[in-house]
Structures are given as C-alpha cells and as structure tokens.
Amino acid sequence: MSADLFAHKAGSYDQVKRRVDNVNNIATAIKEKVNFNPQMHIVDFGSGTGLLLEHIAPLVSKITAVDISESMNAQLEAKREQLPCELEIEPVNLVETGIDGEFDGVMSSMTFHHVENTRAIFDRLFTLIKPGGFIAIADLDTEDGSFHIEETGVYHTGFEREAIKGIARIAGFTDIEVSSASVVHKPTGDYPVFLLTGRKPLQA
Ligand SMILES: C[S@@+](CC[C@H](N)C(=O)[O-])C[C@H]1O[C@@H](n2cnc3c(N)ncnc32)[C@H](O)[C@@H]1O
C-alpha cells in the first residue's frame, strides 16, 4: 500500500463508535487468550491510532507500534503521555522493512486485509518473535466486499478461517487456534471478526 491511505480518516478515526466497540471486543478476546506480563515487549502491527494498544499498555512494559500511515501515527503520538508503558513508533511498511529487536509477541487488529501477501507478513512476524512468543491476529471473516466503502488499500474481503490457519502453520507457528472475537454492525450488514492465536515453537 502507498504511504498514507488513512490520511482522510485519521483525525476522526476514534469517533466511530462501532469501530471502537469492535476493537474493545478484540482486546477482550486477546486478553482472554494471551498471558501478558509486566516484562513483555510486544509489537502492535498496523497500530493505527492505538485503539488496541491502549487496552494492552497497562499489562506490558513496552509496545512497539508499527504503522505505515503518518497521519495514524500522529494520532497515536498524541496519546503517548497517557500510556502507562513505553511506546516506540516504527513508521514502516512491515512487509517490506523489518524492525530491530526480538519481541515477546505480536498483536494486530483489522490490518491483515490491507496486506496483499499474507504469507509474507506471517513470515515477517515469525522472524520478529522470540521462541515461545505469541501472535494474536484479529481480522474480518470472509465478507461479500461490502465492508469497505472507501479506498484504504484493501486486498482481502476477509479471510476464510481454515485458510489463514494453514498459512500461519506453513510460516512455522504452532498451537494455532481461531475463535470469534467480535461482530461489526454496519448499515450494509453484520461482519464477524475472528482472532487467530499461535506460538513460535521453542525450537524454531
Ligand atoms: C484498519 S486500520 C486498523 C488500526 C488499528 N489496528 C485498529 O484496529 O483500530 C489498519 C492500519 O494498518 C496499517 N497498515 C496496513 N498495511 C501496513 C503495512 N504493510 N505495514 C504497516 N502498517 C500497515 C494502516 O496504515 C492502518 O493504520
């Protein structure tokens, strides 16, 4: 995707109640599946304005927020002082550019459908995570294409659960589970959201 496909919506992003409700549900689902601890340094891939990481910040020591959108990163930057953990913002396209460090896990909300090559992003996440670390990826179940009405770089009309599980497995993750995390209610329909969790094996 090109540099800032979210520029037109970043300023009002957090004002859409169904979006905030959806990320609240995703955060609840992630907290049920992942045992966060105060020593952890984790990545939020496609962190946007920080709707997800705000929920997790009280539970970890540091979050590296990765997002290609300058305008979304600016919204997150404005929240830095209120966050109860250290925050680093990496303004990169994570498919094309890696980041330094080894992390206890990666979480992601509503971002994978913006990435053309799903295998490539799972491969990237695998390289970033410590052995034994987690992934927690939430995104849309397969939908009919009506979820997005604006061009924000959408490559997938959601994902079929068994298919995305298979890609995560091929990338090397184990203990993969997919559960239901949320439903986004829009005038055009109801859109279920899954949460995929998994681990990088200790002997990777
Ligand atoms: C729909 S928003 C979700 C934001 C946030 N996670 C949430 O749930 O509110 C998707 C975000 O992913 C970012 N993004 C998409 N592809 C990316 C990539 N390849 N590397 C880094 N960020 C990316 C976009 O810039 C955007 O901020």
Side-chain angles (χ1 to χ4, degrees), residues 5-6 12 22 36 49 56 87-88 100 107 123 141 145 152 178-179:
L5 294 171
F6 283 82
S12 58
N22 180 43
F36 291 102
T49 62
I56 308 303
L87 174 70
E88 184 169 348
D100 289 336
M107 61 183 186
D123 285 347
D141 283 296
T152 50
V178 181
S179 55

Side-chain angles (χ1 to χ4, degrees), residues 33-45:
K33 294 278 181 184
V34 177
N35 289 320
F36 291 102
N37 73 58
Q39 279 74 49
M40 282 182 163
H41 179 187
I42 65 165
V43 169
D44 183 358
F45 166 55

Side-chain angles (χ1 to χ4, degrees), residues 53-54 57-58 75-85 87:
L53 67 78
E54 287 173 72
Q75 297 295 318
L76 174 57
E77 183 61 47
K79 298 177 181 175
R80 179 186 292 277
E81 294 306 315
Q82 288 119 57
L83 292 172
C85 77
L87 174 70

Side-chain angles (χ1 to χ4, degrees), residues 1 3-4 6 13 19 23 26 44-52 66-69 72 92-95 108-111 113-115 121:
M1 63 186 291
D4 206 348
F6 283 82
Y13 197 81
R19 181 177 291 141
V23 184
I26 289 169
D44 183 358
F45 166 55
S47 41
T49 62
L51 285 179
L52 175 61
V66 181
D67 203 297
I68 192 176
S69 164
M72 297 291 258
V92 299
N93 179 336
L94 195 61
V95 178
S108 182
S109 157
M110 305 298 284
T111 296
H113 64 264
H114 293 288
V115 176
I121 191 61

